[in-house]
């Protein structure tokens, strides 16, 4: 593919390849802005400015100053260090067998507790709870309408909806009633420290363990990171013994 010359500044060609290299350094969500004609012109002007200032710097012999030499040495050290780390860690792999074994040995880490999705109505007295339940049973009001009419809980604005929760997230009396209720059945008044509740369960999910396929990529990444840290620490200890370190 032809590498089109877009400009020549201080005797140096600025090409399409140079422009694309600059664009690729931006985050993906910002690259589109530089794909327009105006965006490309803006970047070309930046590249022209870079070439002109670079030429000027050489003309006044900044590349012969100690400051320049120190900067180059610092950059060189960073590049060599980065390349050395990549060299050490680049050949690490994790096999499918290792991923599968980790999953089998740590299945409890991928378990999901049983949950219920429920609505409730919270009132001060048992009589109020029974009154609300009677209106729901006679179909004078839906559960959601009764929640808005009677409930003192802020969830009344969502028809009493509490969303999904697992054991340990609610007070014991409420939790016990919710997990033992049949779906769609309005409970008897349930007394807790907050008052009296009417509860209806919309959905139940049994406790489960995520399948291997669901977590395979996550486990692979986790094992890779563990192996990299282990290898890196091992290499550092070997290099410390080889080159010496004097911690002051």
């Amino acid at each position: 593919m032809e590498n089109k010359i877009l400009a020549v500044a201080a005797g140096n060609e600025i090409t399409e390849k140079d422009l694309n290299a600059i664009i690729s350094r931006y985050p993906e969500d910002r690259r589109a802005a530089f794909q327009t004609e105006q965006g490309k012109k803006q970047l070309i002007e930046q590249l022209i400015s870079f070439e002109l200032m670079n030429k000027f710097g050489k003309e006044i012999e900044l590349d012969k100053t100690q400051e320049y030499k120190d900067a180059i040495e610092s950059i060189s050290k960073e590049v060599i260090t980065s390349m050395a780390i990549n060299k050490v860690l680049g050949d690490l792999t994790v096999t499918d067998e290792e991923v599968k074994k980790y999953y089998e040995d740590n299945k409890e880490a991928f378990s999901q507790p049983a949950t219920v999705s429920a609505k409730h109505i919270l009132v001060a007295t048992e009589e109020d709870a029974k009154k609300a339940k009677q209106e729901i049973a006679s179909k004078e009001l839906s559960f959601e309408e009764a929640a808005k009419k009677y409930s003192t809980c802020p969830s009344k604005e969502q028809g009493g909806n509490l969303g999904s929760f697992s054991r340990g997230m609610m007070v014991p009396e409420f939790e016990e009633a919710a997990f033992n209720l049949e779906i769609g059945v309005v409970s008897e008044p349930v007394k807790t420290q907050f008052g009296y509740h009417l509860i209806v369960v919309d959905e139940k999910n049994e406790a489960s363990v995520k399948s291997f396929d669901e977590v395979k990529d996550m486990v692979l990444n986790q094992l890779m990171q563990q192996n990299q840290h282990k290898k890196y620490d091992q290499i550092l200890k070997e290099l410390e013994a080889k080159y010496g370190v004097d911690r002051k």
Side-chain angles (χ1 to χ4, degrees):
M1 182 181 293
E2 182 185 358
N3 188 21
K4 185 179 179 182
I5 298 171
L6 305 175
V8 178
N12 293 316
E13 293 179 349
I14 297 170
T15 67
E16 218 158 26
K17 184 177 179 182
D18 297 325
L19 181 64
N20 291 332
I22 292 292
I23 293 174
S24 69
R25 293 175 194 169
Y26 284 89
E28 282 192 32
D29 59 342
R30 293 189 58 193
R31 291 177 193 171
F34 298 112
Q35 300 294 346
T36 64
E37 198 64 31
Q38 185 61 35
K40 288 180 180 180
K41 285 181 179 179
Q42 180 184 341
L43 288 182
I44 291 169
E45 289 304 317
Q46 289 181 19
L47 288 168
I48 289 172
S49 300
F50 178 86
E51 292 293 349
L52 293 175
M53 292 303 296
N54 180 261
K55 183 73 173 180
F56 173 67
K58 288 179 179 178
E59 183 181 319
I60 61 176
E61 298 187 335
L62 290 179
D63 54 338
K64 295 180 180 179
T65 63
Q66 188 59 45
E67 183 182 2
Y68 171 80
K69 293 174 183 177
D70 291 343
I72 289 298
E73 183 178 352
S74 176
I75 293 170
S76 174
K77 184 181 288 187
E78 290 179 14
V79 172
I80 290 174
T81 300
S82 178
M83 290 177 67
I85 291 172
N86 290 336
K87 179 80 171 174
V88 167
L89 303 181
D91 60 350
L92 281 177
T93 59
V94 176
T95 66
D96 288 343
E97 290 73 20
E98 288 173 315
V99 176
K100 184 70 172 177
K101 184 178 187 305
Y102 184 91
Y103 171 77
E104 294 295 341
D105 291 346
N106 298 276
K107 271 191 175 181
E108 68 281 357
F110 308 109
S111 62
Q112 295 177 302
T115 62
V116 297
S117 180
K119 299 183 183 76
H120 84 138
I121 297 170
L122 174 62
V123 292
T125 67
E126 185 174 9
E127 289 71 23
D128 288 339
K130 287 181 177 178
K131 180 181 178 184
K133 182 174 180 179
Q134 178 57 40
E135 291 187 18
I136 295 167
S138 65
K139 301 189 184 301
E140 290 180 47
L141 298 172
S142 67
F143 191 93
E144 292 78 10
E145 289 168 340
K148 289 182 179 181
K149 180 178 179 180
Y150 290 108
S151 186
T152 60
C153 177
S155 65
K156 65 188 285 184
E157 299 303 327
Q158 289 77 46
N161 188 12
L162 295 173
S164 180
F165 54 90
S166 58
R167 290 189 181 275
M169 295 176 68
M170 302 292 183
V171 292
E173 304 91 339
F174 187 98
E175 177 183 288
E176 191 66 22
F179 274 88
N180 286 309
L181 266 178
E182 293 182 22
I183 292 175
V185 175
V186 179
S187 71
E188 294 299 322
V190 177
K191 185 179 180 182
T192 73
Q193 67 198 69
F194 303 107
Y196 289 83
H197 306 258
L198 294 178
I199 307 167
V200 63
V201 170
D202 297 322
E203 185 180 0
K204 287 188 174 185
N205 293 297
E206 297 298 324
S208 62
V209 176
K210 288 185 177 180
S211 71
F212 176 67
D213 286 338
E214 287 179 283
V215 301
K216 181 179 178 180
D217 289 342
M218 181 183 71
V219 174
L220 176 63
N221 291 333
Q222 187 173 328
L223 288 180
M224 182 64 78
Q225 289 180 13
Q226 288 178 3
N227 289 351
Q228 286 176 339
H229 285 306
K230 184 177 179 181
K231 181 69 177 291
Y232 187 70
D233 290 342
Q234 175 192 334
I235 291 293
L236 284 184
K237 287 177 182 177
E238 293 174 3
L239 295 177
E240 185 172 331
K242 182 177 181 180
Y243 301 130
V245 175
D246 183 12
R247 293 182 174 86
K248 303 295 186 182

